[in-house]
Amino acid sequence: DGGITQSPKYLFRKEGQNVTLSCEQNLNHDAMYWYRQDPGQGLRLIYYSQIVNDFQKGDIAEGYSVSREKKESFPLTVTSAQKNPTAFYLCASSIIGTASTEAFFGQGTRLTVV
Amino acid sequence: QQPVQSPQAVILREGEDAVINCSSSKALYSVHWYRQKHGEAPVFLMILLKGGEQKGHEKISASFNEKKQQSSLYLTASQLSYSGTYFCGTEMWGAQKLVFGQGTRLTINP
């Protein structure tokens, strides 16, 4: 079955440690996205990528980094520079074409920093 | 650049109608609508691409007014399963990135 997989589902880290969230898709989609979700603030765009080896900052990129070495993978690293990293993180992917297409979401990773 | 949704929350009885609005300060290429149940991934509902376009089927439909940079989601004769948080996502012309509003929490009571 085609889909988008995020792992792990729950992640706990100590303050000051970097942590990497995994996102893999087998839908052959070109575009991939990372969103952060906090209560009452909706989905805020962290980074997005339209092609391998290229990515752009979203609205809240500070304290995060990404890589896109393979089409199917778009890992997100939450660095120690992120002031308030505890949140629900969602990865999504979509086709790039002449018309807008739906985004498919992973099940999310809930990160708690203590 | 985040679109603005209104209202922030709605509480209905089963069978009542609801309208959720989404507006942008930028010219839009498309508007997406998604529904998210608590703790789950957002689920796609529909995309609107053209000005004035209206889509949907049966009891969930949406419109897109390109000139006003606004979209509205219409839920008719709501069912308990409609409960959740509804998000609009917008794409601007020339920018292939999807930006979401803050969400509208819809609660349907029996």
Side-chain angles (χ1 to χ4, degrees):
Chain A
D1 285 338
I4 182 164
T5 302
Q6 290 185 243
S7 61
K9 191 171 182 180
Y10 298 97
L11 190 55
F12 295 87
R13 278 294 182 269
K14 289 186 178 180
E15 193 172 342
Q17 290 182 333
N18 291 357
V19 60
T20 298
L21 281 59
S22 170
C23 178
E24 304 275 334
Q25 53 97 0
N26 60 3
L27 300 165
N28 200 33
H29 285 174
D30 297 297
M32 296 188 75
Y33 307 82
W34 274 106
Y35 295 93
R36 170 179 171 142
Q37 187 170 27
D38 297 284
Q41 295 203 45
L43 304 171
R44 293 186 291 167
L45 183 63
I46 305 172
Y47 269 98
Y48 64 106
S49 169
Q50 298 171 358
I51 194 170
V52 174
N53 292 322
D54 189 38
F55 46 82
Q56 288 77 39
K57 292 181 179 180
D59 298 323
I60 56 165
E62 186 175 349
Y64 299 98
S65 65
V66 293
S67 62
R68 188 86 187 275
E69 296 177 2
K70 299 186 295 182
K71 187 176 183 178
E72 57 271 22
S73 178
F74 191 41
L76 173 74
T77 297
V78 184
T79 74
S80 56
Q82 170 49 233
K83 300 296 181 192
N84 185 18
T86 295
F88 187 51
Y89 291 87
L90 284 161
C91 179
S93 69
S94 68
I95 298 170
I96 291 180
T98 53
S100 183
T101 60
E102 70 175 281
F104 290 79
F105 283 85
Q107 291 301 307
T109 293
R110 190 167 297 279
L111 173 65
T112 302
V113 175
V114 296
Chain B
Q1 289 185 349
Q2 250 187 322
V4 176
Q5 289 184 232
S6 63
Q8 290 188 343
V10 183
I11 300 175
L12 299 175
R13 288 193 179 276
E14 196 174 7
E16 293 182 334
D17 302 340
V19 180
I20 300 171
N21 300 302
C22 174
S23 64
S24 173
S25 59
K26 306 283 186 180
L28 298 176
Y29 169 66
S30 72
V31 178
H32 298 218
W33 286 98
Y34 294 78
R35 177 171 61 211
Q36 184 183 32
K37 301 281 186 177
H38 183 69
E40 299 179 5
V43 173
F44 172 76
L45 294 175
M46 63 189 77
I47 291 176
L48 299 105
L49 296 174
K50 300 176 185 176
E53 182 177 31
Q54 189 149 358
K55 276 192 160 185
H57 57 92
E58 296 186 357
K59 297 175 181 177
I60 299 179
S61 62
S63 63
F64 176 27
N65 187 321
E66 193 176 11
K67 283 187 178 179
K68 292 185 178 179
Q69 295 154 195
Q70 293 176 346
S71 177
S72 295
L73 184 71
Y74 307 95
L75 300 107
T76 306
S78 58
Q79 305 170 9
L80 293 176
S81 61
Y82 288 2
S83 290
T85 300
Y86 288 78
F87 293 98
C88 70
T90 57
E91 289 181 287
M92 294 183 291
W93 285 96
Q96 283 186 309
K97 64 175 182 177
L98 190 56
V99 181
F100 287 90
Q102 79 278 23
T104 296
R105 183 188 294 270
L106 178 64
T107 303
I108 311 293
N109 293 320

